[in-house]
């Protein structure tokens, strides 16, 4: 019954979860929900019903209704998003999760009757105003979203001096406009977070000082770009003293969402037959959702590429 | 949201309960609150201090400073109850908040926290204990 690869995707009519084709190897599907759009008490009840007892306890332990709501929506988004790609084989409530040794969540597929679960990867991130889930096939993924307007309580350069690499500190130091400096800080933060989450190690096991993320002018020639590929700078990571982790494996994208958030995405590049890496723009499909209520392809105004070589699709293949 | 709010009412008190030995399972939130107030009037502070000594290695001043830093970082309203057992994540801290809190603690106490340790700082108490440990080993150095 592993038809999911062959099923044609349906168009996004509003309904309960429509089964979807998995992303192809170089596609990233990015789903997000805006808590302010979830207002109905009965919908919230329905969502609560999807959670495991442990998740429900965790949601209810959050202080204040807004935090409870975003914690709830984070679990709901993960469960419903993954369930979409199982072609009705798994319902959101029955999904089980596991964690790697650093705490990165993964799906613990309950396989029966020889059903082959999809080989998908996911990662979530949330702010109080936006919750996101990225999905890929065969490639570890890390995402991070932050409000564009977020301000640090500490001084930006002091923070960067303490936690970022010296290259990144320098990049920030030479920016004279404090607002632009703050924005560049947030972009770096989200990209660094996305990277350590893609690695599956998180901040503690991959200290931010040990790698540099920077923007590089785009290289042409060996780049298979499509019409919609952006001319944005390439985003690259350089890691110090970690020979096991070949940093050229990782590909980044940075977008502005709904005019209000930065979203950084990091995936592992596909390997060529010879063992090198494809230099192909990331194909990103962005959907705004209210699970069980509606899914919407996001217009070009709502997703603006800031960095990384990527194509933003407006429909899922 | 009414269902969630109603359910949350029964969970607001447990953080206060951490100071008391288990006084039975109060199902009624307002009863629990009354018990807490009663204790506070009858010599509870000294009991609480001794509970601190038993369960929390850090000095009360350290705990208080940590609480102040956490309150400021997370912009907690004054009525939000903050105890040594309060989990940062439950108060709405994300990874950037946690890192900012650690940085503020480093500056306040003149210590340096390894990134590997920062994952162990999930509550006020854990932060305070780590601070005491680092301040002590710095003094002994």
């Amino acid at each position: 019954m592993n038809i999911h690869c062959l099923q044609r995707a349906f168009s996004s009519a509003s309904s309960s979860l429509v089964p979807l084709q998995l992303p192809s190897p170089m596609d990233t599907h990015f789903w997000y929900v805006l808590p302010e759009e979830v207002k109905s008490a009965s919908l919230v009840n329905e969502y609560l019903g999807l959670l495991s007892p442990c998740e429900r306890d965790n949601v209810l332990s959050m202080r204040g209704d807004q935090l409870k709501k975003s914690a709830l929506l984070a679990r709901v988004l993960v469960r419903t998003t993954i369930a979409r790609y199982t072609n009705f084989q798994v319902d959101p409530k029955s999904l089980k999760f596991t964690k790697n040794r650093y705490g990165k969540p993964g799906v613990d597929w309950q396989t029966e009757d020889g059903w082959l679960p999809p080989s998908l990867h996911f990662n979530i991130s949330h702010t109080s105003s936006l919750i996101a889930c990225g999905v890929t096939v065969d490639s570890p993924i890390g995402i991070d979203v932050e409000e564009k307007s977020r301000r640090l309580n500490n001084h930006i350069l002091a923070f960067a001096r303490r936690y970022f690499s010296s290259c990144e500190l320098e990049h920030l130091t030479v920016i004279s406009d404090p607002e632009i400096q703050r924005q560049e800080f947030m972009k770096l933060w989200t990209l660094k977070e996305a990277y350590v989450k893609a690695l599956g190690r998180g901040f503690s096991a991959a200290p931010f000082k040990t790698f540099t993320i920077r923007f590089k002018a785009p290289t042409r020639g060996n780049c298979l770009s499509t019409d919609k590929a952006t001319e944005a700078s390439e985003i690259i990571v350089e890691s110090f003293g970690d020979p096991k982790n070949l940093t050229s494996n990782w590909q980044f994208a940075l977008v502005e969402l709904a005019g209000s958030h930065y979203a950084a995405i990091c995936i592992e590049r596909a390997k060529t037959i010879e063992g090198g890496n494809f230099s192909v723009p990331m194909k990103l499909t962005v959907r705004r959702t209210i699970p069980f209520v509606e899914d919407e392809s996001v217009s070009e105004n709502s997703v603006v590429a800031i960095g990384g070589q990527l194509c933003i699709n407006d429909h899922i293949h | 949201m009414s269902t969630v709010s109603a359910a949350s009412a029964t969970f607001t008190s447990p953080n206060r309960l951490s100071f008391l030995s288990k006084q039975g399972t109060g199902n009624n939130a307002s009863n629990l609150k009354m018990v807490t107030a009663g204790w506070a009037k009858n010599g509870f502070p000294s009991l609480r201090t001794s509970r601190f000594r038993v369960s929390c290695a850090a000095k009360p001043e350290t705990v208080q400073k940590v609480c102040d830093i956490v309150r400021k970082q997370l912009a907690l309203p004054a009525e939000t109850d903050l105890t040594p057992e309060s989990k940062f994540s439950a108060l709405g801290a994300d990874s950037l908040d946690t890192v900012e809190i650690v940085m503020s603690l480093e500056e306040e106490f003149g210590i340096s926290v390894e990134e590997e340790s920062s994952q162990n700082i999930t509550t006020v108490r854990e932060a305070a204990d780590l601070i005491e440990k680092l301040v002590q080993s710095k003094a002994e150095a």
Side-chain angles (χ1 to χ4, degrees):
Chain A
M1 273 278 266
N2 43 329
I3 343 138
H4 47 263
C5 296
L6 304 173
Q7 281 278 8
R8 194 160 283 288
F10 302 158
S11 64
S12 61
S14 62
S15 67
S16 53
L17 303 176
V18 173
L20 291 171
Q21 200 173 16
L22 285 166
S24 59
M26 280 316 293
D27 283 358
T28 301
H29 288 181
F30 187 96
W31 298 83
Y32 70 91
V33 58
L34 301 171
E36 67 186 8
E37 295 182 345
V38 176
K39 296 192 244 268
S40 140
S42 64
L43 186 58
V44 167
N45 261 337
E46 196 183 343
Y47 287 163
L48 271 170
L50 295 181
L51 270 47
S52 69
C54 186
E55 287 172 339
R56 208 171 305 139
D57 284 349
N58 189 57
V59 163
L60 295 176
S61 77
M62 304 293 290
R63 307 280 207 93
D65 284 351
Q66 203 195 26
L67 289 179
K68 286 181 169 67
K69 193 177 178 187
S70 52
L72 170 64
L73 291 175
R75 296 316 304 157
V76 168
L77 183 63
V78 171
R79 286 179 170 274
T80 55
T81 301
I82 292 170
R84 293 173 194 269
Y85 296 101
T86 64
N87 198 41
F88 290 128
Q89 290 300 304
V90 184
D91 68 272
K93 190 177 162 67
S94 60
L95 280 168
K96 296 214 183 314
F97 295 91
T98 179
K99 286 189 176 174
N100 77 0
R101 55 194 269 228
Y102 301 105
K104 182 176 185 181
V107 184
D108 185 14
W109 295 104
Q110 313 293 298
T111 49
E112 299 164 356
D113 304 327
W115 172 68
L116 280 177
S119 144
L120 62 79
H121 296 250
F122 73 92
N123 195 233
I124 56 167
S125 174
H126 58 86
T127 69
S128 55
S129 47
L130 187 149
I131 295 146
C133 180
V135 179
T136 48
V137 164
D138 289 334
S139 157
I141 176 172
I143 70 169
D144 190 55
V145 295
E146 293 290 348
E147 286 173 3
K148 269 182 68 178
S149 59
R150 181 172 187 158
R151 314 209 92 78
L152 282 192
N153 278 314
N154 294 285
H155 190 259
I156 285 177
L157 293 183
F159 187 100
R161 192 168 302 120
R162 170 68 183 84
Y163 289 110
F164 284 11
S165 73
S166 47
C167 284
E168 290 164 341
L169 171 62
E170 206 181 297
H171 168 79
L172 291 172
T173 304
V174 301
I175 302 171
S176 50
D177 183 325
E179 179 55 20
I180 295 183
Q181 188 190 65
R182 194 191 56 75
Q183 287 178 1
E184 289 301 305
F185 172 88
M186 289 313 307
K187 291 177 191 173
L188 273 178
W189 173 270
T190 55
L191 285 163
K192 289 170 85 72
E193 267 287 285
Y195 175 60
V196 299
K197 291 173 80 181
L199 287 178
R201 294 207 233 136
F203 179 84
S204 308
F208 276 19
K209 239 188 219 299
T210 63
F211 62 94
T212 288
I213 288 196
R214 57 191 185 86
F215 294 81
K216 197 175 113 171
T219 50
R220 293 149 210 268
N222 60 345
C223 191
L224 307 171
S225 46
T226 70
D227 294 325
K228 281 181 159 184
T230 62
E231 292 299 313
S233 316
E234 208 183 326
I235 299 172
I236 58 175
V237 61
E238 289 161 351
S239 175
F240 314 123
D242 189 357
K244 277 191 296 194
N245 187 41
L246 303 169
T247 52
S248 60
N249 286 358
W250 301 96
Q251 186 170 22
F252 294 85
L254 182 67
V255 300
E256 187 195 273
L257 272 183
S260 55
H261 288 75
Y262 290 131
I265 299 151
C266 177
I267 62 171
E268 198 170 26
R269 285 184 210 269
K271 300 269 189 296
T272 61
I273 297 167
E274 297 84 40
N277 295 109
F278 278 121
S279 180
V280 177
M282 185 192 300
K283 278 162 61 186
L284 188 63
T285 305
V286 182
R287 297 287 202 116
R288 183 191 60 76
T289 178
I290 304 173
F292 302 133
V293 176
E294 66 184 43
D295 302 332
E296 187 198 43
S297 302
V298 176
S299 73
E300 282 183 15
N301 295 335
S302 291
V303 192
V304 176
I306 302 175
Q309 295 169 319
L310 72 153
C311 303
I312 301 172
N313 295 350
D314 55 11
H315 55 276
I316 293 176
H317 298 291
Chain B
M1 288 304 291
S2 56
T3 305
V4 175
S5 300
S8 76
T10 58
F11 285 89
T12 51
S13 298
N15 286 322
R16 285 198 182 277
L17 275 189
S18 64
F19 291 115
L20 309 169
S21 51
K22 307 268 158 123
Q23 293 289 310
T25 51
N27 292 322
N28 187 324
S30 57
N31 276 351
L32 292 172
K33 286 210 166 110
M34 279 168 59
V35 170
T36 309
W39 277 95
K41 284 184 187 140
N42 300 335
F44 175 55
S46 63
L47 236 183
R48 179 162 61 187
T49 311
S50 61
R51 279 279 307 196
F52 260 110
R53 285 199 207 107
V54 168
S55 64
C56 180
K59 300 198 280 284
E61 309 93 75
T62 305
V63 173
Q64 188 55 55
K65 278 188 188 170
V66 174
C67 284
D68 291 344
I69 286 170
V70 171
R71 269 195 192 279
K72 184 169 171 228
Q73 176 65 37
L74 303 181
L76 299 179
E79 57 272 12
T80 301
D81 202 21
L82 194 54
T83 73
E85 310 310 319
S86 299
K87 279 193 159 280
F88 297 161
S89 55
L91 296 164
D94 62 12
S95 51
L96 182 50
D97 287 313
T98 306
V99 176
E100 285 220 79
I101 287 169
V102 170
M103 183 171 163
S104 300
L105 296 175
E106 287 185 330
E107 287 179 350
E108 174 71 31
F109 293 97
I111 51 175
S112 179
V113 178
E114 297 297 314
E115 273 84 333
E116 295 80 23
S117 309
S118 59
Q119 70 189 336
N120 300 329
I121 302 179
T122 66
T123 65
V124 168
R125 196 226 288 213
E126 286 169 359
D129 285 352
L130 181 61
I131 290 163
E132 293 279 339
K133 202 173 88 173
L134 292 172
V135 165
Q136 189 153 21
S137 45
K138 192 178 161 195
E140 286 165 5

